[in-house]
Amino acid sequence: MKKALVAALILAALIVPASALAKVNGGQSPIGALVRSQTTFLAATTTTTSLQLSAKEQLVIDLINRERAKYGLQPVRAQLALMKAARAHSAEMVQKRYFSHNSYNGDTFAQRDVRYGYARTGFSSWAAGENIAWGQGLLGTPQAIVDAWMHSTVHRQVILTAKYRDCGVGIASGSYKSGAFLFTLDFGSRTK
């Protein structure tokens, strides 16, 4: 089942370096091919407003926090700007029929996070990471996607980055890959 799961999902993960608010090559690729395992430290601001999570979005966060707890890490919490960025990216990938960390306009995920309000101003450090995935049927569930991420070294590394405290989840389905679900999981950390 694990081989089928990995074969059926296309996954990508990035941890953006501070210098990489410039464009990063995107595109469809097999598991782990779009990986950069570096860290970003910049400055940022926060926005706080209540938000509603779907059952699937909440389940992804719960599953991620369960995995983080196994390693003694603090849980992440849904953060409004990252939720908006992740939701918009998943919806855009379905609508425009592509799969990449970059937005359709070429923005990197870090640029997208900032555009949706996960700003850098007022913070001494700023870090961001992202996992994306798509799957169909039983392989397109939150459980299957998180399981696949945890069985991929680079995706697990993003999930288990200790400094991350904020997250956003976007899940969309539609005409991309015959009704596949596309998942975007954005992480962030900001320090005053």
Side-chain angles (χ1 to χ4, degrees), residues 111-181:
Q111 290 168 321
R112 184 175 55 252
D113 290 347
V114 169
R115 182 168 25 102
Y116 277 92
Y118 201 73
R120 303 174 310 226
T121 306
F123 291 83
S124 62
S125 69
W126 185 94
E130 178 175 84
N131 284 351
I132 61 175
W134 69 268
Q136 297 170 302
L138 294 176
L139 300 178
T141 65
Q143 296 89 335
I145 296 296
V146 172
D147 184 62
W149 281 333
M150 291 306 294
H151 283 90
S152 163
T153 302
V154 294
H155 299 92
R156 183 176 55 250
Q157 184 178 35
V158 173
I159 290 167
L160 300 179
T161 298
K163 69 181 157 219
Y164 292 149
R165 296 292 180 268
D166 303 325
C167 75
V169 179
I171 305 169
S173 67
S175 59
Y176 181 82
K177 301 286 184 184
S178 301
F181 286 91

Side-chain angles (χ1 to χ4, degrees), residues 17-97:
S19 62
L21 288 180
K23 306 213 184 255
V24 175
N25 290 332
Q28 285 185 270
S29 60
I31 196 165
L34 292 175
V35 174
R36 306 288 182 269
S37 52
Q38 301 170 8
T39 307
T40 304
F41 293 101
L42 303 168
T45 64
T46 191
T47 53
T48 55
T49 306
S50 65
L51 57 101
Q52 297 280 329
L53 301 179
S54 73
K56 286 183 179 181
E57 290 169 340
Q58 185 62 59
L59 182 55
V60 169
I61 294 170
D62 292 346
L63 292 168
I64 293 300
N65 282 332
R66 195 172 301 151
E67 294 297 335
R68 289 174 63 87
K70 290 178 187 176
Y71 293 86
L73 300 174
Q74 292 185 1
V76 292
R77 64 189 173 275
Q79 197 279 340
L80 182 62
L82 293 178
M83 288 297 299
K84 288 179 179 179
R87 287 171 172 169
H89 189 56
S90 287
E92 180 184 79
M93 287 191 293
V94 167
Q95 180 187 22
K96 303 283 188 181
R97 302 181 103 176

